[in-house]
Amino acid sequence: MTSDDTDAAPRGSTGTAPGPGGGADLHLELPPHGARRTVLAQALREAVRSGRLAGGTRMPPYRALAADLGLARNAVADAYAELVAEGWFTARQGSGTRVAEGAATTAGQPATPAAPATPATPATPATPATPATPAPGGLRHDLLQGKPDPAAFPRGAWSTSARRALAQAPTEAFGPGDPQGRPELRRALAAYLSRARGVRTGPENIVVCSGFANGLRLLASLRPRDWAVEEYGLPFHHGILDAAGVRPHPVPVDEDGARTDHIPARARTLLLTPAHQFPTGARLLPARRAEAVEWARATSALIVEDDYDGEFRYDRKPVGAVQGLDPGHVVYAGSLSKSLSPAVRLGWLVLPDDLVGQVLAAKGQRESWASALDQLALADFIECGAYDRHVRRMRQRYRARRDRLAEALASRVPQVRVTGISAGLHAVVELPPGTEQAALAAARAAGLSLDGLSAYHHPSARTPAREGLVVGYAAPPEAAFGRAVAALAGVVRGVVG
């Protein structure tokens, strides 16, 4: 149990911000037992809901409130962050933390009841391949894939690592730096990836970049024009390849992952998501993993392995990286966008020996390099065990959300299949042919922001697109998650009957 859970707080304490205009005086009744962050957040919600904290009220700095209430600073900071994420508070640099205007109605409960999820008719479909994002002001539940819980960012642990890394950084770390990345981070990554993902590498084969997209751009600039890509994937990544002049060759995907027996003969690079196919959620069969590696060896080709959410496995043992089968023919790519936060712009490429120099040359001017200070902080964050603890904690949280989503759909709409749920941060709700666009229209009307499965189908693929909803379950605030799931179930039930 952390100090945030055990610090006692006096009943009826008053939080007073120092100085004029420093924030509101608060009288909060905190029960003597329970996690301090939890009870403080609940007390603040009640103060807003009852009208004692009006919209626009400036809150005391979290340090001042922590001192007045006898709480750990992290407990107050985390409670503030939680309420910002839920929409009760707003936070802007230079303006401090304030109660959101209209928070008493919009954050605690909808100002007006959500309209029943009425399916649109197939005669008036939404625009194909367009996310079901409501018009500005209509968004109530963010179910877009690819987003971790922003309120769960480990601010205290990251701050500790950043301070420690800054204090211990060598003087040369504040110079121009190394395009390959800080040696401290490359050593930490080599040890972590070997232990947690089965990657075979040393620090000398790792190049730090600013995320997977940055790494993909570098590789696309170096590789021959013909790439094999899974027929389902992220359109943004397809756009990166298009911009580099790559000629894509979609490979069919089934319930066992990419059909490696369908890799085109002319391809010399294969972009693969073997641990958790994006977005269908399939795991690549061991026989297909071996077949892909044999193809790369026989043709002197390269596999680019996108391990975008390899840390999050729920119902099966972790799947090791394909790179471990043949480090000379596989590039392993990872980032922090799912496991920690997309705001920390750090990723990595684990490269075969002959590609390291080429990628470094392609990086070019140092303006595109990742921040050395963030690299040092991440190195400490990994080495002190904070990254492992965060991943384990989030694995439990996301699994619980996955279970709630699956159970609600199984209970209310038992005729639909929910797939891809053994790992990751999203699920696929399979729909009958001809119903996806109606479901997206109904979702938009119900205030749900999510995507259709067909939006991720490569436009050059020869097989017809399957229909479904790609549902991200990590990002919604905990207080709103039940309403989001209920609204989704209503939409699906209304469409499929």
Side-chain angles (χ1 to χ4, degrees):
M1 185 172 291
T2 65
S3 60
D4 289 1
D5 296 322
T6 57
D7 284 344
R11 292 179 60 85
S13 297
T14 300
T16 307
D25 289 344
L26 301 180
H27 177 81
L28 298 174
E29 291 287 343
L30 302 184
H33 304 295
R36 297 297 88 192
R37 164 182 166 166
T38 302
V39 298
L40 175 60
Q42 184 57 39
L44 290 171
R45 289 189 195 95
E46 183 55 36
V48 175
R49 187 182 291 114
S50 67
R52 291 197 299 114
L53 284 177
T57 300
R58 184 174 180 180
M59 299 300 297
Y62 73 86
R63 291 178 178 84
L65 186 59
D68 289 334
L69 297 179
L71 299 178
R73 291 180 179 182
N74 286 349
V76 180
D78 289 347
Y80 275 20
E82 182 176 328
L83 269 63
V84 169
E86 293 177 0
W88 297 94
F89 290 173
T90 62
R92 294 183 178 85
Q93 189 171 3
S95 181
T97 302
R98 296 179 182 271
V99 178
E101 296 291 348
T105 57
T106 61
Q109 57 186 14
T112 57
T118 302
T121 63
T124 57
T127 302
T130 301
T133 305
L139 172 63
R140 288 193 293 277
H141 302 298
D142 184 357
L143 297 178
L144 291 171
Q145 62 76 29
K147 298 181 178 183
D149 183 358
F153 185 83
R155 296 173 185 237
W158 181 264
S159 178
T160 297
S161 285
R163 289 195 303 268
R164 186 161 51 222
L166 183 62
Q168 298 175 357
T171 301
E172 52 87 14
F174 300 94
D178 184 344
Q180 190 165 357
R182 288 297 307 173
E184 298 90 341
L185 178 56
R186 290 188 284 114
R187 287 194 296 268
L189 284 171
Y192 172 78
L193 295 174
S194 175
R195 168 174 55 83
R197 302 297 299 125
V199 172
R200 293 161 55 192
T201 188
E204 66 278 2
N205 288 88
I206 297 177
V207 172
V208 177
C209 50
S210 59
F212 176 75
N214 177 223
L216 185 61
R217 287 190 183 95
L218 294 171
L219 294 170
S221 71
L222 298 172
R223 298 297 298 167
R225 292 185 60 191
D226 291 288
W227 283 46
V229 299
E230 296 166 322
E231 67 177 354
Y232 285 91
L234 197 63
F236 177 59
H237 294 164
H238 298 158
I240 290 174
L241 298 181
D242 288 344
V246 167
R247 182 185 295 113
H249 300 279
V251 175
V253 170
D254 62 20
E255 64 274 8
D256 295 319
R259 291 286 304 275
T260 50
D261 57 334
H262 282 55
I263 299 174
R266 68 176 62 183
R268 288 298 175 267
T269 307
L270 169 62
L271 179 59
L272 204 59
T273 53
H276 190 224
Q277 202 285 321
F278 181 85
T280 67
R283 178 181 63 171
L284 192 64
L285 282 179
R288 295 185 183 181
R289 293 158 66 94
E291 187 174 30
V293 169
E294 286 301 322
W295 164 81
R297 290 171 178 165
T299 60
S300 299
L302 187 73
I303 298 171
V304 178
E305 179 179 11
D306 178 7
D307 195 33
Y308 67 97
D309 63 0
E311 292 87 354
F312 298 117
R313 292 291 176 273
Y314 309 128
D315 300 328
R316 63 190 185 210
K317 293 182 179 179
V319 182
V322 169
Q323 189 269 359
L325 299 177
D326 192 337
H329 288 92
V330 182
V331 173
Y332 176 90
S335 76
L336 300 176
S337 63
K338 308 294 186 297
S339 61
L340 190 61
S341 169
V344 183
R345 302 305 305 152
L346 287 175
W348 45 87
L349 298 175
V350 180
L351 299 161
D353 293 337
D354 60 341
L355 269 181
V356 175
Q358 297 178 52
V359 168
L360 292 179
K363 287 191 76 172
Q365 297 299 315
R366 62 175 177 262
E367 281 72 16
S368 65
W369 301 353
S371 163
L373 297 182
D374 285 343
Q375 293 183 55
L376 290 170
L378 178 59
D380 183 274
F381 195 69
I382 293 172
E383 290 181 334
C384 75
Y387 185 64
D388 283 278
R389 290 191 293 273
H390 174 73
V391 167
R392 286 195 297 269
R393 181 169 61 251
M394 299 315 298
R395 188 183 295 132
Q396 290 181 323
R397 182 176 302 184
Y398 295 150
R399 178 173 184 162
R401 287 194 169 196
R402 186 279 313 257
D403 290 346
R404 290 173 63 187
L405 172 66
E407 290 166 2
L409 290 172
S411 172
R412 297 189 59 184
V413 203
Q415 62 269 44
V416 300
R417 291 182 65 212
V418 182
T419 60
I421 60 175
S422 61
L425 307 182
H426 72 270
V428 175
V429 180
E430 298 184 359
L431 296 175
T435 61
E436 180 183 293
Q437 295 304 323
L440 290 173
R444 189 178 296 110
L448 298 175
S449 181
L450 45 73
D451 293 336
L453 180 59
S454 63
Y456 297 95
H457 191 245
H458 198 285
S460 299
R462 295 183 178 180
T463 60
R466 306 202 299 267
E467 298 197 26
L469 300 177
V470 181
V471 181
Y473 49 77
E478 186 62 32
F481 186 66
R483 295 194 297 274
V485 170
L488 174 68
V491 165
V492 176
R493 185 176 181 179
V495 170
V496 303

